[in-house]
Amino acid sequence: MKKELVPSEQTYADLVVKGGKVEEFVRRWIIGVMAGLSEVDEKIAKTILKKAGEDCCKLFLETYGLDLSSYDLDSLIEWWNKRPACRCYKVDENTIIYEFKSNKCECLLVDKGFVNLTPKLCSLCFTNWLEYMFGTVTKRGAKAELVESLATGASKCSFRIKLL
């Protein structure tokens, strides 16, 4: 015989919080979103992840105390090159290469096991992150593309950013 659920004054959200299952809820929700994104074409998935990538970049900037309005492209590249695992340089006036060499992905979602590290995650989410940062500094559009990453089996993550 099935046990019937008894209506409660508490909402589902209240019960999730009271049961200590908030992280599990968020984990399942993110896993579901990422699974759904794998079912749409890359252009749509990148558009869906645009705000997420931008907001992640904004949190990064807050965390490091960076105000992009006080940087130009050259000073931003200089800032990146002071970070131990980073290399950033101009190929020409409209092309920047950003490289990060680490033994593990720095994405918090990957680190905490919310999502798996895949080339698609790098090419759809982190490219939005880079486009926001470099586009904001240069006051131009930016288009970033994955060259290689830990997810592709490379020893570093490398992205090409084209300024539009």
Side-chain angles (χ1 to χ4, degrees):
M1 180 184 273
K2 285 186 178 180
K3 182 179 177 183
E4 253 185 73
L5 295 176
V6 179
S8 168
E9 294 293 317
Q10 295 179 320
T11 66
Y12 169 63
D14 293 334
L15 294 171
V16 169
V17 170
K18 186 177 180 180
K21 295 183 176 187
V22 173
E23 186 172 323
E24 179 62 19
F25 170 82
V26 171
R27 178 182 311 281
R28 288 183 187 202
W29 195 88
I30 292 170
I31 289 169
V33 168
M34 295 307 290
L37 286 173
S38 70
E39 296 181 21
V40 298
D41 73 43
E42 288 198 18
K43 185 176 181 181
I44 292 170
K46 184 168 170 71
T47 300
I48 291 169
L49 289 175
K50 182 174 176 44
K51 181 78 171 121
E54 290 175 355
D55 285 348
C56 181
C57 184
K58 289 174 186 176
L59 182 58
F60 173 89
L61 296 168
E62 288 173 27
T63 301
Y64 280 91
L66 293 176
D67 176 6
L68 290 181
S69 67
S70 63
Y71 286 85
D72 62 15
L73 181 56
D74 290 330
S75 61
L76 179 63
I77 288 172
E78 185 179 315
W79 184 87
W80 275 116
N81 286 326
K82 289 179 183 174
R83 292 195 67 209
C86 292
R87 182 168 176 245
C88 190
Y89 60 93
K90 286 190 218 176
V91 173
D92 57 44
E93 288 305 309
N94 297 314
T95 309
I96 298 126
I97 300 294
Y98 168 83
E99 297 176 337
F100 177 76
K101 187 166 183 137
S102 179
N103 56 0
K104 71 174 198 161
C105 178
E106 276 207 359
C107 175
L108 190 59
L109 295 173
V110 172
D111 186 59
K112 295 300 179 191
F114 287 103
V115 299
N116 292 322
L117 177 60
T118 65
K120 200 168 188 176
L121 179 67
C122 304
S123 67
L124 299 179
C125 189
F126 192 65
T127 54
N128 284 315
W129 194 102
L130 290 166
E131 288 167 8
Y132 174 80
M133 179 173 279
F134 286 93
T136 299
V137 163
T138 61
K139 297 175 180 57
R140 296 168 64 183
K143 177 78 173 141
E145 67 176 312
L146 172 66
V147 175
E148 63 182 348
S149 75
L150 299 177
T152 65
S155 62
K156 66 182 175 188
C157 299
S158 182
F159 295 83
R160 180 179 302 108
I161 301 111
K162 290 282 202 182
L163 301 175
L164 309 174

